[in-house]
Amino acid sequence: MSMLKGANLPVQAQAVRVELGWHSGPGVPDVDASALLLVSGKVRSDADFVFYNQPAHASGAVRHEGKKTGADGVTDTLAVDLARVEPAVERIVLAASADGGSFGRVPGLRVRVLDATSGTEIARYESQDATVETAFLLGELYRRQGSWKFRAVGQGYGSGLAGLATDFGISVDDEPAPRMAPVPPAPVPPAPVRPASVRSEPVRPTRPAAPPAPPVSAPAAPAPVRLSKVTLTKDAPSVSLAKQGGTSGAMGVNLNWQMRKQFRGWGAKLGRAVANHSDLDLDLCALYELSDGRKGVVQALGNAFGALHQPPYIHLDGDDRTGAVSSGENLTINLDHKDRLRRIVIFVTIYEGARSFADLDATVTLQPQHGAPIDFALGECTVPSTVCSLALITNTGSDLVVQREARFLVPERGVSPQRTIDYAYGWGMNWMPGRK
């Protein structure tokens, strides 16, 4: 039963999962979950803000685990280990923000608090009065006499996530490309400007030489939080990593997937060819070409997991055989060696457990270490496909460009999914049978 606004319930679990949920569809904005850890009503610093650009708190107590699509709609999940929350933190505010519209266009908006161990629902609050709000404070976990409780709040903000975050003391910088501006410190040569500023300094004869340097290093305040993110669509399928400031450090590539419980489209015509199999095994893979012409593949098949600090500078961290792992499957690309990378095709194959991607929901997120996250949904498969290309990353010489592919390919009889991707993108590799 949904709680009334303002009601509260005790939370006796040591750790909880907070699920922000809604129903997706045409014209429905994307929604994101976030959490703010508060002391005396404010954050201590921007590090107390957990969201898609800052997915884990330094204490390890709060983590943003990402989105999944299921029969009940879309969920974006936060994991909260209440036992690890620092004693100074009194409240954890649970918020939602809408990207591309207001919450009046988001049906079924709700927040659920679940026992992280048993999965039992502890509390549920369903918002039913949203109109023009672009951010929502749905609930909060708070301490009361040494124990934790959950309160349903339901307070809306018309100023978006930036307005909500600012109210709690977050310094926000949501401009898309301000990092391009600091490059023009070349206008130092102008001589007339220099003397004018130099003459204004000698007015204080006691400190003639010292002032010029210190003021530059004094404001060493941390950079404001950046709320920007990128969603690739059919109409806007590519993005420049250089413009996002994300061409260095490690870039994570995450595949998160879940089976639909209902069968429709091509899957229904097959007579339930795609079932809710516990043995369904998808593999996240990457074809790579280095600047010296070397080509290869990173995949679980054949234990070709790659390497991060030596060629191919791409590493696969594991193999999610059921879709039950909250973090999904992940590749990491070392962008500090981007000059050694010519192009990368990120793709996914069905290793076993199903005949097609039909009736499977999947989302892809690319998270540059120093840039905005890039995400997209694969969409619905309408062909008997066992291999799907997700994204193409191309080094143009001056930039890295990420292109949303979302191409469901159908292998010819006797042709492997890997060879099918090779043919589609012209890699020209020699393939041999392999197994896990």
Side-chain angles (χ1 to χ4, degrees), residues 75-428:
T75 57
D76 196 11
T77 303
L78 296 161
V80 183
D81 188 341
L82 297 172
R84 296 179 66 179
V85 177
E86 299 152 294
V89 175
E90 303 155 354
R91 295 162 54 204
I92 301 174
V93 168
L94 308 168
S97 56
D99 184 17
S102 67
F103 277 107
R105 294 164 51 193
V106 179
L109 182 64
R110 63 196 180 277
V111 62
R112 300 170 67 217
V113 180
L114 310 173
D115 186 315
T117 303
S118 66
T120 303
E121 183 176 283
I122 298 171
R124 170 193 286 257
Y125 171 62
E126 298 173 353
S127 174
Q128 307 196 358
D129 54 359
T131 54
V132 298
E133 300 88 349
T134 49
F136 240 94
L137 199 166
L138 288 169
E140 62 182 10
L141 294 161
Y142 66 99
R143 297 184 197 264
R144 180 70 72 218
Q145 297 178 347
S147 299
W148 285 95
K149 304 186 81 171
F150 172 78
R151 177 184 290 118
V153 178
Q155 178 184 348
Y157 286 73
S159 51
L161 184 59
L164 184 150
T166 301
D167 275 3
F168 289 105
I170 298 291
S171 302
V172 173
D173 174 14
D174 199 17
E175 296 186 14
R179 287 190 169 88
M180 298 297 108
V183 180
V188 176
V193 179
R194 203 72 176 169
S197 59
V198 171
R199 285 188 189 177
S200 63
E201 289 294 323
V203 176
R204 304 187 66 183
T206 50
R207 298 180 187 176
V216 178
S217 56
V225 169
R226 299 189 69 193
L227 301 183
S228 57
K229 70 171 185 173
V230 178
T231 300
L232 300 182
T233 64
K234 290 181 180 179
D235 296 330
S238 65
V239 64
S240 158
L241 288 182
K243 289 182 180 178
Q244 296 297 321
T247 54
S248 63
M251 180 170 72
V253 181
N254 173 260
L255 170 69
N256 226 315
W257 57 271
Q258 185 168 323
M259 295 299 299
R260 300 185 188 127
K261 293 183 180 179
Q262 297 179 350
F263 298 90
R264 54 184 184 274
W266 183 81
K269 293 175 184 176
L270 275 186
R272 299 172 65 91
V274 182
N276 196 2
H277 292 303
S278 60
D279 61 349
L280 179 63
D281 184 6
L282 300 186
D283 284 341
L284 182 63
C285 317
L287 279 180
Y288 63 83
E289 181 181 6
L290 303 181
S291 58
D292 60 10
R294 283 181 290 172
K295 299 176 182 178
V297 64
V298 173
Q299 60 179 2
L301 195 65
N303 294 320
F305 288 95
L308 198 59
H309 300 291
Q310 61 188 44
Y313 309 108
I314 305 168
H315 181 254
L316 175 67
D317 73 348
D319 185 18
D320 178 11
R321 288 176 172 265
T322 65
V325 179
S326 61
S327 59
E329 293 210 359
N330 299 275
L331 277 166
T332 305
I333 302 172
N334 190 343
L335 298 182
D336 288 337
H337 294 277
K338 60 182 179 295
D339 293 339
R340 306 287 299 276
L341 302 170
R342 181 172 294 167
R343 55 178 180 152
I344 303 169
V345 173
I346 300 165
F347 66 100
V348 60
T349 68
I350 296 176
Y351 181 68
E352 61 183 10
R355 287 186 256 164
S356 172
F357 285 112
D359 290 293
L360 176 128
D361 282 306
T363 56
V364 182
T365 302
L366 284 74
Q367 178 63 74
Q369 186 173 340
H370 303 296
I374 302 163
D375 60 25
F376 59 89
L378 292 188
E380 188 170 353
C381 175
T382 57
V383 294
S385 169
T386 56
V387 57
C388 176
S389 62
L390 307 179
L392 173 64
I393 302 174
T394 306
N395 189 335
T396 66
S398 59
D399 195 2
L400 286 177
V401 176
V402 177
Q403 172 83 26
R404 175 188 185 270
E405 296 291 290
R407 293 173 60 188
F408 293 101
L409 304 176
V410 182
E412 298 179 5
R413 183 180 295 275
V415 178
S416 69
Q418 288 83 354
R419 201 181 294 253
T420 300
I421 282 283
D422 185 326
Y423 292 165
Y425 288 89
W427 237 255

Side-chain angles (χ1 to χ4, degrees), residues 34-36 43 45-51 54 161 165 170 225 227:
S34 57
L36 299 103
V43 297
S45 72
D46 293 349
D48 284 341
F49 185 28
V50 177
F51 69 121
Q54 197 163 262
L161 184 59
I170 298 291
V225 169
L227 301 183

